[in-house]
Amino acid sequence: DTAVSQTPKYLVTQMGNDKSIKCEQNLGHDTMYWYKQDSKKFLKIMFSYNNKELIINETVPNRFSPKSPDKAHLNLHINSLELGDSAVYFCASSLGTGGGNEQFFGPGTRLTVL
Amino acid sequence: TQLLEQSPQFLSIQEGENLTVYCNSSSVFSSLQWYRQEPGEGPVLLVTVVTGGEVKKLKRLTFQFGDARKDSSLHITAAQPGDTGLYLCAGYTGGFKTIFGAGTRLFVKA
């Protein structure tokens, strides 16, 4: 019944490692997002896909690479992890791309880089 | 750079008190949303406002969109411990991107 799910919920890893976070939505939405929420709770958009096509690509290090195999899935791969990557990463989805569309968020993945 | 500033950043009150939190920007928004986020969970939409001067009520929560569509407020009447959480405003100016404010962290003591 979960609308937007993310795995894993917690991820603890060493600097320099490569890791992936997976996201799936069962709402039939066309648009999916990745956000980063830092320790001050500021929620910042990283990427957005609409029907598997990248539509938002914010100023994010190219160590971060999103992949959307189909419109229900949006995964995030991070290479060469750094201490500053520690944050909570949220996946979200919405029916359309315009403002006013409700975004449904997953429970978040807390990434800790040691 | 479009910014949404929220105030106060942190608010701790007793159950039964009223409160107002604010969301301000120099940008004009086509629509503005308020989300609530509880610890360990993702944000959940409370309301969307689209018309300048619009007022929407959701039980004890009253949301107002400024006449110029640059600001918004959220008023909670008779706050309850269940209202505890992070309140985020999010503005849309066009294109694909929604901008989030840094949030107001509310703690309601029983």
Side-chain angles (χ1 to χ4, degrees):
Chain A
D1 287 325
T2 304
V4 181
S5 59
Q6 294 178 229
T7 53
K9 175 85 171 158
Y10 300 96
L11 187 52
V12 181
T13 188
Q14 299 287 331
M15 262 190 347
N17 285 349
D18 302 338
K19 290 292 178 185
S20 291
I21 308 173
K22 295 186 175 182
C23 178
E24 177 181 1
Q25 55 95 2
N26 62 6
L27 297 166
H29 288 167
D30 293 331
T31 307
M32 296 185 72
Y33 312 80
W34 276 111
Y35 286 89
K36 179 181 180 180
Q37 189 172 48
D38 61 26
S39 56
K40 294 184 178 179
K41 302 300 183 185
F42 186 57
L43 197 63
K44 189 173 180 184
I45 183 76
M46 299 173 70
F47 303 103
S48 179
Y49 273 74
N50 177 252
N51 280 319
K52 301 193 297 174
E53 192 174 324
L54 184 67
I55 58 171
I56 295 176
N57 186 358
E58 287 296 281
T59 308
V60 175
N62 58 14
R63 299 181 293 103
F64 290 78
S65 53
K67 279 195 173 56
S68 183
D70 55 62
K71 71 175 192 177
H73 296 84
L74 180 61
N75 304 323
L76 183 65
H77 187 76
I78 315 170
N79 287 327
S80 304
L81 278 155
E82 300 178 357
L83 294 176
D85 298 332
S86 295
V88 181
Y89 292 84
F90 285 99
C91 175
S93 72
S94 65
L95 192 58
T97 56
N101 280 286
E102 178 177 2
Q103 293 188 38
F104 291 79
F105 286 81
T109 295
R110 182 175 293 276
L111 171 65
T112 303
V113 182
L114 303 175
Chain B
T1 304
Q2 299 161 346
L3 284 176
L4 271 173
E5 295 183 356
Q6 291 191 240
S7 60
Q9 290 183 339
F10 182 79
L11 190 56
S12 179
I13 61 171
Q14 287 293 136
E15 183 177 4
E17 291 183 10
N18 301 332
L19 67 116
T20 302
V21 298
Y22 300 93
C23 175
N24 294 289
S25 178
S26 57
S27 300
V28 176
F29 294 103
S30 304
S31 65
L32 193 138
Q33 297 174 316
W34 286 92
Y35 286 80
R36 184 170 77 199
Q37 183 180 8
E38 298 190 18
E41 298 181 12
V44 175
L45 181 69
L46 296 173
V47 77
T48 301
V49 286
V50 295
T51 306
E54 183 177 2
V55 176
K56 280 192 174 178
K57 292 193 174 184
L58 186 65
K59 297 183 181 178
R60 294 176 294 99
L61 278 59
T62 302
F63 305 85
Q64 183 157 11
F65 201 11
D67 290 341
R69 290 184 287 129
K70 293 182 179 183
D71 54 85
S72 181
S73 63
L74 158 58
H75 181 81
I76 301 179
T77 303
Q80 298 177 0
D83 296 327
T84 293
L86 178 69
Y87 289 81
L88 296 161
C89 65
Y92 174 72
T93 58
F96 302 119
K97 195 165 57 173
T98 296
I99 307 293
F100 280 82
T104 291
R105 205 177 306 193
L106 172 65
F107 182 66
V108 182
K109 294 175 279 191

